Amino acid sequence: MATSLFHDSLTVRTQSHDYPIIITEDATSKDSSMAKQVAPYIKGCQVLIVTNDTVAPLYLQALENELAEQFTVKVCVLPDGEQYKNQTSIDQIYDALMAEHFNRDVTLIALGGGVVGDMTGFAAASFMRGVNFIQIPTTLLSQVDSSVGGKTGINHAQGKNMIGAFWQPQMVLADMSTLKTLPARELSAGVAEIIKYALIMDEAFLTWLEENLPAMMALDLAVLGEAVKRCCQYKADVVAQDERESGVRALLNFGHTFGHVIETHQGYGNWLHGEAVAAGMMQAAELSQKIGWLTLDEVERIKRVLMLGNLPTKPPAIDVQTALNLMGHDKKVKHGQIRLILLKSIGSAVLTNDFNDDLLLEVLSQHST
């Protein structure tokens, strides 16, 4: 008897509209293809698929051909990499839309990882002041985080994700089988965001990860599907409370202020986002311990879990003043004060500026040479 494949769904509720996240293991099969699952959420008859030159050879043709039986379908293939998450790539999407005389009835489909999803969403939010779009995330990181919740945008030379908009997709299709073609380093980058949810929201989930990370790293799709479902539910619950990140949603950026320093300093793409977040979470944990909120044993536990995911546990050497300057561009800075997400305990995070600056300097100095 054949083993049943993982298939589940949940709903994200926002002020603009509710939309489903479908998590499946078989959307590359003919009977339940990507095209069949996204077609009901396409508005109008025009479709632009946005992907990159790594994902396109793997999944584009089947999706394009099948959708072309019902819709007018065009394609925009971008170069792959965080360094291309910029205005030039957005202009390529606009150019494709304008060349085909597409109008407000168009649906943009993001086929790829977080970079493709963020840029497609931003193009959808800004083309004709807002058109429909669908997310088909093909990396673990985008499946558990960036494809959900409507944060879209591009990078600026002086800061990551500084230009963008909140624009919710019509649906998200997370197909676990696409992870079979994901490089091991990219898989680990996604694991970092999964660990993040456990650290800020649910210690029991961290225990589950300690038991199940080996199976996830070995590409057990059912276990991966369960992890994706849990993370999407955590994020959906937060987005329902705070769609535009004016409060509790900021907690989802645990490790990101430190991590964005790494990405910006090292050059976008040299450290993957999840790798930078992993090192950033360690720095945030170290600061939490210096304040007196975490014990040394808890910091070591966090380090062990990150190592299970084959993730870095310390940042590259960055001059302290350089790091502070880059932190000053962070979106959580308020009234000139750096605010950080720190851990009161494992499973409980807080956004705060209530820390001694000397302690932050100590953490930064540990890795400055």
Side-chain angles (χ1 to χ4, degrees):
M1 183 176 177
T3 303
S4 60
L5 297 175
F6 188 93
H7 188 91
D8 213 330
S9 64
L10 55 113
T11 300
V12 181
R13 304 190 185 282
T14 71
Q15 290 180 339
S16 56
H17 64 272
D18 299 348
Y19 58 91
I21 303 172
I22 297 172
I23 305 163
T24 185
E25 193 182 325
D26 59 350
T28 54
S29 69
K30 186 175 180 180
D31 292 337
S32 56
S33 65
M34 290 180 181
K36 282 187 171 63
Q37 301 213 50
V38 302
Y41 302 93
I42 293 174
K43 294 183 177 180
C45 60
Q46 303 168 338
V47 173
L48 179 70
I49 303 171
V50 182
T51 187
N52 65 37
D53 51 17
T54 297
V55 175
L58 299 171
Y59 307 113
L60 175 60
Q61 187 173 9
L63 178 64
E64 180 184 5
N65 289 350
E66 194 168 348
L67 288 178
E69 296 174 6
Q70 302 178 62
F71 308 99
T72 300
V73 181
K74 299 297 178 182
V75 172
C76 178
V77 180
L78 302 172
D80 183 16
E82 185 79 30
Q83 65 270 35
Y84 299 107
K85 189 179 171 181
N86 55 31
Q87 188 62 50
T88 300
S89 294
I90 290 292
D91 286 341
Q92 286 183 250
I93 301 174
Y94 294 150
D95 290 346
L97 290 163
M98 298 292 285
E100 300 301 328
H101 302 285
F102 281 171
N103 55 42
R104 282 182 172 163
D105 291 329
V106 68
T107 292
L108 275 63
I109 297 178
L111 175 66
V115 171
V116 166
D118 282 4
M119 290 196 294
T120 305
F122 185 38
S126 49
F127 182 68
M128 294 192 172
R129 299 186 177 90
V131 297
N132 191 50
F133 94 108
I134 289 168
Q135 291 268 22
I136 307 180
T138 60
T139 66
L140 182 59
L141 191 149
S142 58
Q143 288 174 353
V144 300
D145 194 65
S146 61
S147 68
V148 180
K151 285 172 69 172
T152 72
I154 55 175
N155 299 329
H156 186 276
Q158 296 183 51
K160 184 177 168 67
N161 292 331
M162 295 302 292
I163 303 162
F166 288 95
W167 194 248
Q168 301 294 343
Q170 199 67 23
M171 67 92 71
V172 179
L173 174 63
D175 175 18
M176 297 298 99
S177 67
T178 62
L179 302 181
K180 293 178 181 178
T181 57
L182 195 65
R185 188 179 168 197
E186 293 274 3
L187 184 73
S188 290
V191 166
E193 292 284 358
I194 293 174
I195 294 170
K196 175 199 74 178
Y197 284 104
L199 294 179
I200 65 173
M201 302 188 79
D202 189 354
E203 185 178 5
F205 184 39
L206 186 66
T207 301
W208 186 89
L209 288 174
E210 288 168 328
E211 297 170 355
N212 288 281
L213 264 172
M216 291 168 60
M217 303 307 293
L219 285 178
D220 184 320
L221 298 187
V223 175
L224 282 163
E226 179 61 29
V228 170
K229 179 190 174 184
R230 289 195 188 201
C231 292
C232 286
Q233 188 63 66
Y234 291 133
K235 187 160 189 179
D237 291 344
V238 169
V239 170
Q241 299 174 61
D242 179 21
E243 182 175 356
R244 293 182 173 266
E245 203 172 285
S246 58
V248 67
R249 185 169 178 176
L251 300 180
L252 297 175
N253 292 315
F254 176 62
H256 285 57
T257 300
F258 290 104
H260 288 170
V261 168
I262 297 169
E263 290 184 89
T264 305
H265 182 268
Q266 298 301 105
Y268 298 126
N270 290 311
W271 275 59
L272 297 180
H273 176 66
E275 294 170 337
V277 166
M281 289 192 293
M282 277 304 302
Q283 289 179 284
E286 289 166 1
L287 181 55
S288 300
Q289 185 273 320
K290 289 180 183 294
I291 291 172
W293 292 342
L294 294 184
T295 66
L296 284 171
D297 285 346
E298 287 172 323
V299 174
E300 283 300 310
R301 183 186 182 191
I302 293 169
K303 183 177 181 178
R304 287 195 301 272
V305 173
L306 291 171
M307 292 175 69
L308 276 175
N310 296 327
L311 287 158
T313 56
K314 62 180 182 180
I318 301 175
D319 174 75
V320 172
Q321 192 55 53
T322 299
L324 287 172
N325 289 341
L326 290 170
M327 282 183 164
H329 291 293
D330 188 84
K331 295 185 290 296
K332 292 179 290 300
V333 169
K334 192 171 185 178
H335 305 309
Q337 289 189 304
I338 294 171
R339 299 189 299 165
L340 298 171
I341 295 97
L342 301 176
L343 295 180
K344 284 278 191 178
S345 61
I346 292 179
S348 177
V350 61
L351 174 64
T352 182
N353 60 7
D354 185 19
F355 52 84
N356 188 311
D357 289 345
D358 290 340
L359 296 180
L360 174 59
L361 293 175
E362 280 183 33
V363 170
L364 295 175
S365 298
Q366 288 174 198
H367 309 289
S368 62
T369 58

